[in-house]
Every structure is written in structure tokens, then in C-alpha cells.
Amino acid sequence: MFTKSTTPLPSTVLGRQLGDELRRLREAAKLTTTQAAEALDCTKGKISRIENGRVAVRLPDLTAMLHAYEAAHPALLERLSALARNANRRRRQGWWNQYGPVLADTYRDYIALEAMAGEIRTFQAQLVPGLLQTPEYVRAVTVASRQWQTADEIEKFVQVRLARQKRLTGDSPLHLWAVLSEAVLLQQVGGPQVMQAQLEHLLSTAERPNVTVQVLPFVRGAHASMFGPYVVLGFPEEAALDVVLADNPTGSIWLERESEVARYQALFDAARTSALSPMESRAVIRRRSEEHRA
């Protein structure tokens, strides 16, 4: 996952909230995007990107939009201005930006959304989810990918992945629900010792109240999720829509349309229903860990 994206990058949650409010105000004023663009002396595309939360909103533009929509009430302007400032700050100040060219655009934007998410549901076909990987496992995956050539680049990528894992701890930890194909437990990433330590780490992390791990065994046969890994990100903000990052043969793809997201939500529900229970899954993981030790 996190290969070159084949679709536009997703909006930030705060950006989408601001865009949704501006869309509602425009529609209440009975203006089309074309008419709004004419009033602001900009392109129709800019209005659409603002309403989709894909671009930063400058305060002069926000003020002009509210005037055009006859909604320039001081309290509303103050509230939306604060929302715009927070959204723009989130875009600029993420800790991941310090790693620069080591991170692909898709990965950088994924981390930004992960930092704001309240829940992640993921199906993985071959690899342990990044939030649950040990340093040695991360390093083995990074070397095998051949996307990073120097030792410094590899170590920076390892640091990024470990930094992401802090979302599972703290006062408001991320809720992670991972369904893993049994192949994840058998893939010899880094060799037997690395895998044994990784599976032990998986067991200990799965004991946390905010982490659920299930194994989908081979004996379940063909299933709808077997065609590739995906991640469904959910956000704590009221009315915020989920976002999906999925892999296909040509790269990673972002999905935000409600119908597309609903499809992956249904896929995940089917996968977790077919998988072993968390308790049964821990027993399988423990058995595989002992096999690696032997």
C-alpha cells in the first residue's frame, strides 16, 4: 500500500467540514457554483475544490463567499474563520512533514488523516498493519520494497512508521480493528526470528482495549476481500464521512463517495464476520509464533 495514488488526494476532515458548510450556505442562497465563481471572480473549479475540502481557504476568500451568500453574520464569520485557520494549520504543521522526500504524497496524506481519525478498520492480505509492526519487521518490509536506496532513507521510514504507532496510546487512542489473512502469519518477513518477535508483539498489542485483531483462516475459502488490502478511516467529528484507501493493480486509490465507502464498509463487515473471534485468533497467532521459535 501507499504506492502512487491514482485518484486525487483526500480532503482533511476539518477542510471537509468547512466545505460542507460553505456548500450549504451557497445552496441556501440559491447560487450555482458558476454563479458563486462569478461573484468571487474566480473559477468554478476553485469553488468546487473549496467545497470538497481539497484546498486551503484564505480568510479573504471566506469573507467574500459569505458576503456573496448574504451570510456575513459576525458570529458565523468568526466560527468559520477559526475552522479555516485550524484546517490550514493541520495541513502545514504535521510532524510527518519533517521527513520530506522519504514519504510519497499518498503516504503523507494518509498519515495526516490517520492523525485525525478516531477509528481504523483494515483488512490485510500479506502484511501486518503498519500500526502493529515491530522495528525489525518494518525494516525488512522497507528493504524489500526497494523504494528507498540508502540506509538513512530506510531508517527515516522506520522512524515514521514507529511514530505513527503513538496513535494507539495516550489519552484519546485510536481504535484499530484489523482482520488479517492467515497468510500474514506465514509470510517469512525478515526470517523466523523477526516473525516470531512480530507475532509476539501482535499478541501483546491485541490485549489493548482499543485494538482488535482477527485472523481470517485459509479454510474459509474464497471471500470478497481477498483481492487486496484496504483501510477504512472513521473520524470523531459529527457527520464526518469515512474515507477509504485501497490497493489495486495500478496503485493506491482514495475513495470518498458515500456509495464507494459503503461498499468497503460492507466488505469489512463480511471479513470480520467470517474471521475467527479475537480469542480464537490469538490462539492461532500464538501457535504460529511457537512454530517460528522452533
Side-chain angles (χ1 to χ4, degrees), residues 159-196:
Q159 292 170 19
V160 170
R161 184 142 296 180
L162 297 180
R164 284 176 50 206
Q165 296 177 4
K166 295 178 181 178
R167 285 292 285 114
L168 295 178
T169 59
D171 296 332
S172 299
L174 176 73
H175 288 263
L176 173 65
W177 194 332
V179 176
L180 314 180
S181 166
E182 189 174 359
V184 173
L185 312 182
L186 299 176
Q187 189 76 34
Q188 288 284 332
V189 176
Q193 289 185 335
V194 170
M195 280 304 302
Q196 194 272 328

Side-chain angles (χ1 to χ4, degrees), residues 246-294:
D247 272 2
N248 64 27
T250 59
S252 301
I253 181 171
W254 287 109
L255 301 169
E256 289 187 281
R257 292 180 181 175
E258 193 169 353
S259 60
E260 295 173 329
V261 172
R263 165 66 174 159
Y264 277 88
Q265 291 170 332
L267 280 178
F268 183 80
D269 285 342
R272 69 178 179 82
T273 301
S274 298
L276 300 173
S277 71
M279 183 177 296
E280 292 171 325
S281 297
R282 287 194 292 273
V284 171
I285 295 170
R286 187 172 294 108
R287 185 168 66 251
R288 293 301 186 189
S289 174
E290 291 171 355
E291 290 173 357
H292 286 298
R293 184 185 292 114

Side-chain angles (χ1 to χ4, degrees), residues 1-2 107 110 114 120-135 137-138 141 161-162 164-165 168 174 176-181 184-185 198-199 201-202 205 211-215 229-231 268 285:
M1 193 169 282
F2 307 123
Y107 193 21
Y110 176 83
E114 182 181 79
I120 285 181
R121 288 160 287 169
T122 182
F123 172 80
Q124 294 295 321
Q126 285 189 298
L127 294 173
V128 172
L131 290 171
L132 302 177
Q133 294 176 359
T134 65
Y137 188 98
V138 178
V141 171
R161 184 142 296 180
L162 297 180
R164 284 176 50 206
Q165 296 177 4
L168 295 178
L174 176 73
L176 173 65
W177 194 332
V179 176
L180 314 180
S181 166
V184 173
L185 312 182
Q198 174 61 74
L199 295 180
H201 178 69
L202 198 58
T205 309
V211 177
T212 301
V213 176
Q214 291 181 262
V215 175
Y230 54 86
V231 181
F268 183 80
I285 295 170

Side-chain angles (χ1 to χ4, degrees), residues 146-159:
R146 300 186 179 181
Q147 294 186 56
W148 298 270
Q149 302 300 319
T150 69
D152 182 62
E153 290 175 338
I154 291 170
E155 288 308 308
K156 283 183 177 179
F157 189 84
V158 173
Q159 292 170 19

